[in-house]
Amino acid sequence: MCLFVVVFCSLALTSAVNQTESDVDSWYVAAVYEHNLILNPEPDVPLSRLDALQHMQKNLDIYEEQAARAAQQGAQILVFPEDGLHGFNFSRSSISGYLETIPDPQQESWNPCTEPDKYNNTEVLHQLSCMARRNNLYLVANMADLQPCPLKTDPSSSCPSDGRWQFNTNVVFRSDGLLVARYHKHNLYFEQSFDTPPQPEIITFDTPFAGRFGLMICFDILFHKPTIALVEKGVRQLIFPTAWMNLLPLLDSVQFQQAFSLGANVTLLAANLRKDQYNMRGSGIYTPFSATYHHAQKGDPEEGRLLVARVPVLDPLWVGQSVTTEEGLVRSESTSSTATDSGVCHQESCSDSPPPETASLVPPSSATFISSIDHDPFTFVLLNETEGKVNVCNGTFCCHLQYRRLPQGDSKELYALGAFAGTHTMDGRYALQVCALVRCAGLDASSCGQEVEEAESKMDFLLEGKFGTRYVYPSVLASKMVLEQPEHLETAADGRVTMKHSNMIGSLVTACLYGRMYHLDNE
Ligand SMILES: *[C@@H]1O[C@H](CO)[C@@H](O)[C@H](O)[C@H]1NC(C)=O
Ligand SMILES: *[C@@H]1O[C@H](CO)[C@@H](O)[C@H](O)[C@H]1NC(C)=O
Ligand SMILES: *[C@@H]1O[C@H](CO)[C@@H](O)[C@H](O)[C@H]1NC(C)=O
Ligand SMILES: *[C@@H]1O[C@H](CO)[C@@H](O)[C@H](O)[C@H]1NC(C)=O
Ligand SMILES: *[C@@H]1O[C@H](CO)[C@@H](O)[C@H](O)[C@H]1NC(C)=O
Ligand SMILES: *[C@@H]1O[C@H](CO)[C@@H](O)[C@H](O)[C@H]1NC(C)=O
């Protein structure tokens, strides 16, 4: 049986967020499977092809069962997680037995299920293709691809010294088993066994029931290519196999999955692994109005979970704001440090760039302190009253909060508002502007920003920042990994983003506006 946690947002958000579910006239049924991966216990030891196949078969057997269950529930598309067949921690050579050479579906048409003898050494492709065909659904899985190089399509590219590319790869099969898409992960995360493809690949495929889908993998979700390149092409449905290690308070799996769906105004089909030893859990099906997700709690049995949801087809003609707007923002952002129109905002007095009406009434919050969230030095101010207004800035980037705490019982919890503007450099490099309201892990200010999963206080709040990007990902994470749909979200033309939320169902762990400054990543 499946237990769904369903959060519906029935409130009309703003005039900017005006499409409600009732406007949708087309629906489909999507499924994602959170897979309790059976690992190879010795990934650094090379295996024969036969042994590698035997290992993968254990995971494929589970995929077979779940594909049948998904089909019984009407699923038209099913997504399996990253690394779900082979696992991780391989070296470049120890993964050899797991590799198959996946033909490029843009170059040739191949149905591995009906033409099994066309290529040798393609047992996994064959089985996945037949799984799609037998269950009559589109199927997305992640596997390891070997491409001899230099690639014919790109003879000038540098080829690894062993004469082959090894790629972390999504494959998509049509409901008759045809291989319709192949995507090579671009933003690797400590994956010694894999290469970065010579060019970022922007890969989509079309379905009869929901139109176009785009492909990405795990860490890709934080970067412009391929993710935002897909969104800017008007792709509104993104497929996201992942092996995501949760990182509170800002990057828990389901928290960021929902935030991305809301911030990019897309549907996200996210399938994570379940692997407690690596803190991997949390999958879901997200639309801009609803979330069907699963996030196991500590101590829950370590098992897989199939999620199935009816999903609206989003208007394929809607393509965000125009690109010129972003260039406008980029330009004003890059000049703001030198100058002029936005005024100067020091850490101690942030009266200018934040929201006019509200901010001008608020005295600058003086007692700021620095504390890190995932190694990024956030500037924080404590929320030391039951209600009030606070501002906090990091350089010229300021965050504003209006809040009213509703403590339960006599809980003494510490909350703080933090701002960060800068480049994250630990385990990957990406430029950010973040406003984060967090529950501190302890009663000491230095614990603000540390991981904490539970809280007792509810809060009504309005969180606002003026961002130099239109890619701001909003989240409200309540106690025990429960998501709440922000009651009201608004983005103004000047980059100001406002998130308002009240009448919380759960207690507040984090409320965040996570801005990605893609244009500054290479500076
Ligand atoms: C999201 O997309 C819908 C169209 O599907 C559009 O009507 C709505 O305004 C968009 N929301 C935002 C916040 O841009
Ligand atoms: C948004 O929806 C409301 C209620 O249906 C309607 O009154 C309003 O005109 C719509 N706004 C836009 C910009 O379409
Ligand atoms: C195995 O991979 C996980 C996830 O990528 C990583 O956290 C861990 O450090 C790796 N373990 C070893 C022994 O390399
Ligand atoms: C597959 O391998 C066999 C045995 O090595 C060989 O005879 C055959 O030509 C190969 N088939 C293809 C399509 O490469
Ligand atoms: C709350 O903090 C502010 C500084 O941010 C300080 O001026 C004020 O006295 C504090 N109030 C209480 C009740 O501690
Ligand atoms: C943000 O704060 C950190 C820590 O105080 C500081 O080093 C950094 O220069 C600030 N960023 C900006 C843009 O001022």
Side-chain angles (χ1 to χ4, degrees), residues 35 37 49 52-53 56 59-60 63 79-88 90 95-103 105 110 112 119-131 139-147 165-173 179 181-186 188 191 193-195 201 215-217 241-243 273:
H35 176 46
L37 167 70
R49 174 66 178 162
L53 282 174
M56 286 190 283
N59 289 307
L60 281 163
Y63 281 23
V79 181
F80 288 110
E82 182 187 25
D83 300 333
L85 294 173
H86 49 279
F88 30 69
F90 298 101
I95 201 171
S96 301
Y98 291 88
L99 301 167
E100 297 194 358
T101 295
I102 306 169
W110 180 37
Y119 297 104
N120 281 330
N121 208 41
T122 51
E123 291 87 344
V124 173
L125 286 164
H126 176 245
Q127 194 167 341
L128 292 170
S129 162
C130 292
M131 208 184 288
L139 186 148
V140 184
N142 177 273
M143 56 188 283
D145 184 17
L146 181 160
Q147 293 292 327
W165 300 107
Q166 297 181 177
F167 296 126
N168 177 336
T169 308
N170 286 344
V171 284
V172 185
F173 299 92
L179 177 65
R182 180 190 76 179
Y183 166 70
H184 296 138
K185 185 180 186 182
H186 192 70
L188 296 174
E191 298 167 64
S193 48
F194 292 123
D195 300 306
E201 300 178 3
L215 291 166
M216 58 177 165
I217 302 174
T242 186
L273 291 175

Side-chain angles (χ1 to χ4, degrees), residues 7 42 129 141 160 203 254 292 320 399 415 469 471 502 516 518:
V7 181
E42 293 186 301
S129 162
I203 305 290
V254 298
T292 301
C399 303
Y415 282 83
T469 172
Y471 293 104
S502 54
R516 267 294 278 118
Y518 299 110

Side-chain angles (χ1 to χ4, degrees), residues 24-37:
V24 172
D25 50 17
S26 176
W27 298 78
Y28 63 102
V29 179
V32 301
Y33 183 62
E34 179 165 302
H35 176 46
N36 179 12
L37 167 70

Side-chain angles (χ1 to χ4, degrees), residues 252-308:
D252 182 70
S253 55
V254 298
Q255 175 192 24
F256 197 74
Q257 289 161 16
Q258 185 192 41
F260 182 82
S261 166
L262 291 173
N265 201 17
V266 297
T267 291
L268 186 73
L269 308 184
N272 198 1
L273 291 175
R274 175 72 192 279
K275 219 63 239 174
D276 288 347
Q277 74 188 104
Y278 296 120
N279 203 16
M280 290 173 184
R281 60 176 91 86
S283 305
I285 298 169
Y286 307 84
T287 76
F289 356 87
S290 64
T292 301
Y293 65 98
H294 168 66
H295 194 302
Q297 306 289 322
K298 279 203 176 103
D300 285 352
E302 195 171 14
E303 59 191 14
R305 179 65 63 96
L306 181 70
L307 299 174
V308 182

